[in-house]
Amino acid sequence: MHFIAENLDDYVVEHSENEPVLLQQLTRETYQKILQPRMLSGHYQGRVLSMISKLVNPKSILEIGTYTGYSALCLAEGLQGSGTLHTIDINEELVYFQRKYFDRSEYGSQIHQHLGDALDIIPKLDKTFDLVFIDADKENYSNYFHVIIDRLNTGGIILSDNVLWSGKVLEKSFKKDDTSTPALIRYNALLKADTRVETVVLPIRDGLTISRKI
Ligand SMILES: C[S@@+](CC[C@H](N)C(=O)[O-])C[C@H]1O[C@@H](n2cnc3c(N)ncnc32)[C@H](O)[C@@H]1O
């Protein structure tokens, strides 16, 4: 979705950081071999994630929804030297692909993969986090918030992707099988109302929310 004129969007990308070569290769191979390649964050949003992570300079990152590892590698760019990134995905067919690219990067030893349902795995992680990226099944965004918030350090950041859902969050009625749109509407309202965080929605790509724990 383009929130600004397409040629201005192109200008924004052209005047932002270049995409690292490894991420270009990961994108190419994802498009060649993996279903639903449009799920990966991509050049511009990836550079935004990298920049936010560098500003936060986290010791620990949690990512919910690894897919082929693009956003994990962007977020890892901001990790402290001894920091770790834990990333969770339910699709076991992606594990080898992710590891191949993590190990080609300079962050391989800092990135820990977890296979399974994030709602089962998060409570078992004996850690607190400085930065969390939520980018998995939209129906569970509110549940992810509830299991994460007590494990987010004060000043820590939750980034939530796809919060504008191609503009569908403005709709008042939904198709019968559309469970994502109402879930995202509830999630956006939850973030706005919860006094433990301060929140801004950025109209980047499909909508990216930054919530900071007070
Ligand atoms: C949009 S993709 C993630 C894209 C990735 N963050 C990126 O930017 O490159 C969503 C991923 O969430 C995973 N997923 C869906 N439901 C999940 C769940 N309950 N627990 C863990 N992962 C889940 C899917 O398998 C899929 O790989």
PDB file of all heavy atoms in Angstrom, residues 39-41 63 65-67 70-71 88-91 94 116-118 133 135-137 144, ligand 1:
ATOM      1  N   MET A  39       5.534 -11.553   2.252  1.00  0.00           N
ATOM      2  CA  MET A  39       5.486 -11.406   3.719  1.00  0.00           C
ATOM      3  C   MET A  39       6.773 -10.799   4.288  1.00  0.00           C
ATOM      4  O   MET A  39       6.763 -10.271   5.390  1.00  0.00           O
ATOM      5  CB  MET A  39       5.228 -12.756   4.397  1.00  0.00           C
ATOM      6  CG  MET A  39       3.824 -13.273   4.173  1.00  0.00           C
ATOM      7  SD  MET A  39       3.209 -14.279   5.519  1.00  0.00           S
ATOM      8  CE  MET A  39       4.271 -15.681   5.485  1.00  0.00           C
ATOM      9  N   LEU A  40       7.881 -10.895   3.548  1.00  0.00           N
ATOM     10  CA  LEU A  40       9.112 -10.371   4.171  1.00  0.00           C
ATOM     11  C   LEU A  40       9.114  -8.846   4.195  1.00  0.00           C
ATOM     12  O   LEU A  40       8.530  -8.190   3.338  1.00  0.00           O
ATOM     13  CB  LEU A  40      10.386 -10.955   3.557  1.00  0.00           C
ATOM     14  CG  LEU A  40      10.837 -10.778   2.120  1.00  0.00           C
ATOM     15  CD1 LEU A  40      11.263  -9.370   1.832  1.00  0.00           C
ATOM     16  CD2 LEU A  40      12.012 -11.694   1.856  1.00  0.00           C
ATOM     17  N   SER A  41       9.795  -8.300   5.183  1.00  0.00           N
ATOM     18  CA  SER A  41       9.713  -6.852   5.418  1.00  0.00           C
ATOM     19  C   SER A  41      10.186  -6.034   4.221  1.00  0.00           C
ATOM     20  O   SER A  41       9.584  -5.024   3.877  1.00  0.00           O
ATOM     21  CB  SER A  41      10.539  -6.466   6.645  1.00  0.00           C
ATOM     22  OG  SER A  41       9.829  -6.778   7.807  1.00  0.00           O
ATOM     23  N   GLU A  63      11.501 -11.623  18.492  1.00  0.00           N
ATOM     24  CA  GLU A  63      10.728 -11.467  17.263  1.00  0.00           C
ATOM     25  C   GLU A  63       9.689 -12.584  17.182  1.00  0.00           C
ATOM     26  O   GLU A  63      10.029 -13.753  17.363  1.00  0.00           O
ATOM     27  CB  GLU A  63      11.643 -11.543  16.031  1.00  0.00           C
ATOM     28  CG  GLU A  63      10.843 -11.448  14.730  1.00  0.00           C
ATOM     29  CD  GLU A  63      11.719 -11.541  13.499  1.00  0.00           C
ATOM     30  OE1 GLU A  63      12.358 -12.601  13.294  1.00  0.00           O
ATOM     31  OE2 GLU A  63      11.778 -10.560  12.742  1.00  0.00           O
ATOM     32  N   GLY A  65       7.412 -14.261  14.549  1.00  0.00           N
ATOM     33  CA  GLY A  65       7.202 -14.360  13.107  1.00  0.00           C
ATOM     34  C   GLY A  65       8.502 -14.146  12.357  1.00  0.00           C
ATOM     35  O   GLY A  65       8.793 -13.050  11.883  1.00  0.00           O
ATOM     36  N   THR A  66       9.289 -15.216  12.231  1.00  0.00           N
ATOM     37  CA  THR A  66      10.612 -15.107  11.589  1.00  0.00           C
ATOM     38  C   THR A  66      10.501 -15.085  10.062  1.00  0.00           C
ATOM     39  O   THR A  66      11.249 -14.375   9.391  1.00  0.00           O
ATOM     40  CB  THR A  66      11.495 -16.326  11.953  1.00  0.00           C
ATOM     41  OG1 THR A  66      11.294 -16.699  13.303  1.00  0.00           O
ATOM     42  CG2 THR A  66      12.953 -16.051  11.675  1.00  0.00           C
ATOM     43  N   TYR A  67       9.608 -15.932   9.527  1.00  0.00           N
ATOM     44  CA  TYR A  67       9.510 -16.202   8.092  1.00  0.00           C
ATOM     45  C   TYR A  67      10.912 -16.579   7.586  1.00  0.00           C
ATOM     46  O   TYR A  67      11.501 -17.506   8.119  1.00  0.00           O
ATOM     47  CB  TYR A  67       8.869 -15.011   7.369  1.00  0.00           C
ATOM     48  CG  TYR A  67       8.551 -15.281   5.924  1.00  0.00           C
ATOM     49  CD1 TYR A  67       7.813 -16.397   5.541  1.00  0.00           C
ATOM     50  CD2 TYR A  67       8.976 -14.418   4.924  1.00  0.00           C
ATOM     51  CE1 TYR A  67       7.534 -16.652   4.209  1.00  0.00           C
ATOM     52  CE2 TYR A  67       8.679 -14.657   3.586  1.00  0.00           C
ATOM     53  CZ  TYR A  67       7.972 -15.777   3.238  1.00  0.00           C
ATOM     54  OH  TYR A  67       7.699 -16.019   1.913  1.00  0.00           O
ATOM     55  N   TYR A  70      14.393 -12.169   7.245  1.00  0.00           N
ATOM     56  CA  TYR A  70      14.783 -10.825   6.802  1.00  0.00           C
ATOM     57  C   TYR A  70      14.767  -9.826   7.959  1.00  0.00           C
ATOM     58  O   TYR A  70      15.771  -9.155   8.241  1.00  0.00           O
ATOM     59  CB  TYR A  70      13.841 -10.351   5.682  1.00  0.00           C
ATOM     60  CG  TYR A  70      14.309  -9.109   4.970  1.00  0.00           C
ATOM     61  CD1 TYR A  70      14.895  -9.191   3.715  1.00  0.00           C
ATOM     62  CD2 TYR A  70      14.188  -7.844   5.551  1.00  0.00           C
ATOM     63  CE1 TYR A  70      15.334  -8.049   3.046  1.00  0.00           C
ATOM     64  CE2 TYR A  70      14.621  -6.703   4.898  1.00  0.00           C
ATOM     65  CZ  TYR A  70      15.199  -6.815   3.646  1.00  0.00           C
ATOM     66  OH  TYR A  70      15.649  -5.683   3.004  1.00  0.00           O
ATOM     67  N   SER A  71      13.630  -9.722   8.641  1.00  0.00           N
ATOM     68  CA  SER A  71      13.518  -8.707   9.700  1.00  0.00           C
ATOM     69  C   SER A  71      14.427  -9.041  10.882  1.00  0.00           C
ATOM     70  O   SER A  71      14.946  -8.132  11.545  1.00  0.00           O
ATOM     71  CB  SER A  71      12.069  -8.552  10.155  1.00  0.00           C
ATOM     72  OG  SER A  71      11.499  -9.800  10.461  1.00  0.00           O
ATOM     73  N   ILE A  88      10.806 -16.515  16.760  1.00  0.00           N
ATOM     74  CA  ILE A  88       9.890 -17.662  16.831  1.00  0.00           C
ATOM     75  C   ILE A  88       9.106 -17.776  15.531  1.00  0.00           C
ATOM     76  O   ILE A  88       8.582 -16.780  15.020  1.00  0.00           O
ATOM     77  CB  ILE A  88       8.866 -17.470  17.980  1.00  0.00           C
ATOM     78  CG1 ILE A  88       9.569 -17.172  19.305  1.00  0.00           C
ATOM     79  CG2 ILE A  88       7.967 -18.692  18.109  1.00  0.00           C
ATOM     80  CD1 ILE A  88       8.618 -16.736  20.426  1.00  0.00           C
ATOM     81  N   ASP A  89       9.003 -18.999  15.008  1.00  0.00           N
ATOM     82  CA  ASP A  89       8.095 -19.237  13.882  1.00  0.00           C
ATOM     83  C   ASP A  89       7.514 -20.641  13.995  1.00  0.00           C
ATOM     84  O   ASP A  89       8.173 -21.562  14.466  1.00  0.00           O
ATOM     85  CB  ASP A  89       8.798 -19.068  12.525  1.00  0.00           C
ATOM     86  CG  ASP A  89       7.803 -18.707  11.433  1.00  0.00           C
ATOM     87  OD1 ASP A  89       7.012 -19.607  11.025  1.00  0.00           O
ATOM     88  OD2 ASP A  89       7.760 -17.532  11.017  1.00  0.00           O
ATOM     89  N   ILE A  90       6.288 -20.770  13.541  1.00  0.00           N
ATOM     90  CA  ILE A  90       5.553 -22.035  13.667  1.00  0.00           C
ATOM     91  C   ILE A  90       5.805 -22.967  12.481  1.00  0.00           C
ATOM     92  O   ILE A  90       5.466 -24.141  12.526  1.00  0.00           O
ATOM     93  CB  ILE A  90       4.042 -21.715  13.816  1.00  0.00           C
ATOM     94  CG1 ILE A  90       3.292 -22.849  14.493  1.00  0.00           C
ATOM     95  CG2 ILE A  90       3.421 -21.313  12.480  1.00  0.00           C
ATOM     96  CD1 ILE A  90       1.917 -22.432  14.992  1.00  0.00           C
ATOM     97  N   ASN A  91       6.437 -22.439  11.419  1.00  0.00           N
ATOM     98  CA  ASN A  91       6.601 -23.212  10.176  1.00  0.00           C
ATOM     99  C   ASN A  91       7.977 -23.876  10.139  1.00  0.00           C
ATOM    100  O   ASN A  91       8.991 -23.218   9.904  1.00  0.00           O
ATOM    101  CB  ASN A  91       6.425 -22.265   8.974  1.00  0.00           C
ATOM    102  CG  ASN A  91       6.470 -23.003   7.648  1.00  0.00           C
ATOM    103  OD1 ASN A  91       6.826 -24.187   7.597  1.00  0.00           O
ATOM    104  ND2 ASN A  91       6.128 -22.314   6.583  1.00  0.00           N
ATOM    105  N   LEU A  94      10.812 -23.569   7.315  1.00  0.00           N
ATOM    106  CA  LEU A  94      11.638 -22.371   7.139  1.00  0.00           C
ATOM    107  C   LEU A  94      12.932 -22.402   7.955  1.00  0.00           C
ATOM    108  O   LEU A  94      13.813 -21.559   7.753  1.00  0.00           O
ATOM    109  CB  LEU A  94      10.826 -21.128   7.545  1.00  0.00           C
ATOM    110  CG  LEU A  94       9.554 -20.857   6.741  1.00  0.00           C
ATOM    111  CD1 LEU A  94       8.743 -19.736   7.386  1.00  0.00           C
ATOM    112  CD2 LEU A  94       9.907 -20.485   5.302  1.00  0.00           C
ATOM    113  N   GLY A 116       7.661 -23.285  16.779  1.00  0.00           N
ATOM    114  CA  GLY A 116       6.406 -23.625  17.445  1.00  0.00           C
ATOM    115  C   GLY A 116       5.503 -22.418  17.538  1.00  0.00           C
ATOM    116  O   GLY A 116       5.790 -21.347  16.984  1.00  0.00           O
ATOM    117  N   ASP A 117       4.412 -22.609  18.264  1.00  0.00           N
ATOM    118  CA  ASP A 117       3.436 -21.531  18.455  1.00  0.00           C
ATOM    119  C   ASP A 117       3.998 -20.525  19.457  1.00  0.00           C
ATOM    120  O   ASP A 117       4.353 -20.894  20.577  1.00  0.00           O
ATOM    121  CB  ASP A 117       2.130 -22.143  18.969  1.00  0.00           C
ATOM    122  CG  ASP A 117       0.986 -21.143  18.984  1.00  0.00           C
ATOM    123  OD1 ASP A 117       1.232 -19.946  19.273  1.00  0.00           O
ATOM    124  OD2 ASP A 117      -0.137 -21.549  18.694  1.00  0.00           O
ATOM    125  N   ALA A 118       4.056 -19.272  19.047  1.00  0.00           N
ATOM    126  CA  ALA A 118       4.682 -18.252  19.901  1.00  0.00           C
ATOM    127  C   ALA A 118       4.019 -18.165  21.276  1.00  0.00           C
ATOM    128  O   ALA A 118       4.694 -17.893  22.271  1.00  0.00           O
ATOM    129  CB  ALA A 118       4.626 -16.895  19.200  1.00  0.00           C
ATOM    130  N   PHE A 133       9.417  -7.422  18.250  1.00  0.00           N
ATOM    131  CA  PHE A 133       8.783  -7.184  16.948  1.00  0.00           C
ATOM    132  C   PHE A 133       7.680  -8.219  16.767  1.00  0.00           C
ATOM    133  O   PHE A 133       7.951  -9.423  16.749  1.00  0.00           O
ATOM    134  CB  PHE A 133       9.819  -7.310  15.827  1.00  0.00           C
ATOM    135  CG  PHE A 133       9.292  -7.020  14.444  1.00  0.00           C
ATOM    136  CD1 PHE A 133       8.432  -5.958  14.194  1.00  0.00           C
ATOM    137  CD2 PHE A 133       9.675  -7.809  13.362  1.00  0.00           C
ATOM    138  CE1 PHE A 133       7.955  -5.678  12.915  1.00  0.00           C
ATOM    139  CE2 PHE A 133       9.213  -7.546  12.071  1.00  0.00           C
ATOM    140  CZ  PHE A 133       8.348  -6.473  11.859  1.00  0.00           C
ATOM    141  N   ASP A 135       5.057  -9.800  14.351  1.00  0.00           N
ATOM    142  CA  ASP A 135       4.796  -9.873  12.907  1.00  0.00           C
ATOM    143  C   ASP A 135       4.334 -11.279  12.533  1.00  0.00           C
ATOM    144  O   ASP A 135       4.838 -11.875  11.584  1.00  0.00           O
ATOM    145  CB  ASP A 135       6.079  -9.494  12.136  1.00  0.00           C
ATOM    146  CG  ASP A 135       5.812  -9.285  10.649  1.00  0.00           C
ATOM    147  OD1 ASP A 135       4.651  -9.095  10.268  1.00  0.00           O
ATOM    148  OD2 ASP A 135       6.791  -9.302   9.872  1.00  0.00           O
ATOM    149  N   ALA A 136       3.387 -11.824  13.328  1.00  0.00           N
ATOM    150  CA  ALA A 136       2.883 -13.173  13.021  1.00  0.00           C
ATOM    151  C   ALA A 136       1.378 -13.103  12.792  1.00  0.00           C
ATOM    152  O   ALA A 136       0.896 -12.127  12.212  1.00  0.00           O
ATOM    153  CB  ALA A 136       3.264 -14.125  14.151  1.00  0.00           C
ATOM    154  N   ASP A 137       0.636 -14.139  13.203  1.00  0.00           N
ATOM    155  CA  ASP A 137      -0.812 -14.193  12.965  1.00  0.00           C
ATOM    156  C   ASP A 137      -1.529 -13.028  13.657  1.00  0.00           C
ATOM    157  O   ASP A 137      -1.393 -12.822  14.856  1.00  0.00           O
ATOM    158  CB  ASP A 137      -1.375 -15.531  13.431  1.00  0.00           C
ATOM    159  CG  ASP A 137      -0.899 -15.927  14.828  1.00  0.00           C
ATOM    160  OD1 ASP A 137       0.191 -15.495  15.241  1.00  0.00           O
ATOM    161  OD2 ASP A 137      -1.654 -16.618  15.513  1.00  0.00           O
ATOM    162  N   TYR A 144      -0.330 -11.658  22.148  1.00  0.00           N
ATOM    163  CA  TYR A 144       1.125 -11.464  22.239  1.00  0.00           C
ATOM    164  C   TYR A 144       1.448 -10.282  23.151  1.00  0.00           C
ATOM    165  O   TYR A 144       2.355 -10.350  23.985  1.00  0.00           O
ATOM    166  CB  TYR A 144       1.735 -11.248  20.842  1.00  0.00           C
ATOM    167  CG  TYR A 144       1.625 -12.457  19.937  1.00  0.00           C
ATOM    168  CD1 TYR A 144       1.294 -12.342  18.596  1.00  0.00           C
ATOM    169  CD2 TYR A 144       1.839 -13.736  20.448  1.00  0.00           C
ATOM    170  CE1 TYR A 144       1.184 -13.460  17.783  1.00  0.00           C
ATOM    171  CE2 TYR A 144       1.727 -14.857  19.632  1.00  0.00           C
ATOM    172  CZ  TYR A 144       1.387 -14.708  18.312  1.00  0.00           C
ATOM    173  OH  TYR A 144       1.280 -15.819  17.512  1.00  0.00           O
TER     174      TYR A 144
HETATM  175  C1  LIG B   1       4.609 -11.889   7.922  1.00  0.00           C
HETATM  176  S1  LIG B   1       5.539 -13.324   8.215  1.00  0.00           S
HETATM  177  C2  LIG B   1       6.938 -12.701   9.107  1.00  0.00           C
HETATM  178  C3  LIG B   1       7.848 -11.881   8.220  1.00  0.00           C
HETATM  179  C4  LIG B   1       9.185 -11.542   8.845  1.00  0.00           C
HETATM  180  N1  LIG B   1       9.028 -10.929  10.167  1.00  0.00           N
HETATM  181  C5  LIG B   1       9.921 -10.580   7.935  1.00  0.00           C
HETATM  182  O1  LIG B   1       9.666  -9.374   8.022  1.00  0.00           O
HETATM  183  O2  LIG B   1      10.722 -11.022   7.104  1.00  0.00           O
HETATM  184  C6  LIG B   1       4.617 -14.136   9.480  1.00  0.00           C
HETATM  185  C7  LIG B   1       5.241 -15.407  10.024  1.00  0.00           C
HETATM  186  O3  LIG B   1       4.540 -15.733  11.243  1.00  0.00           O
HETATM  187  C8  LIG B   1       4.513 -17.134  11.374  1.00  0.00           C
HETATM  188  N2  LIG B   1       3.448 -17.481  12.328  1.00  0.00           N
HETATM  189  C9  LIG B   1       2.105 -17.466  12.116  1.00  0.00           C
HETATM  190  N3  LIG B   1       1.453 -17.836  13.232  1.00  0.00           N
HETATM  191  C10 LIG B   1       2.386 -18.090  14.169  1.00  0.00           C
HETATM  192  C11 LIG B   1       2.343 -18.501  15.533  1.00  0.00           C
HETATM  193  N4  LIG B   1       1.175 -18.742  16.162  1.00  0.00           N
HETATM  194  N5  LIG B   1       3.502 -18.641  16.212  1.00  0.00           N
HETATM  195  C12 LIG B   1       4.693 -18.392  15.588  1.00  0.00           C
HETATM  196  N6  LIG B   1       4.799 -18.010  14.305  1.00  0.00           N
HETATM  197  C13 LIG B   1       3.667 -17.846  13.603  1.00  0.00           C
HETATM  198  C14 LIG B   1       4.296 -17.640   9.957  1.00  0.00           C
HETATM  199  O4  LIG B   1       4.733 -18.973   9.827  1.00  0.00           O
HETATM  200  C15 LIG B   1       5.104 -16.640   9.123  1.00  0.00           C
HETATM  201  O5  LIG B   1       6.388 -17.142   8.804  1.00  0.00           O
END
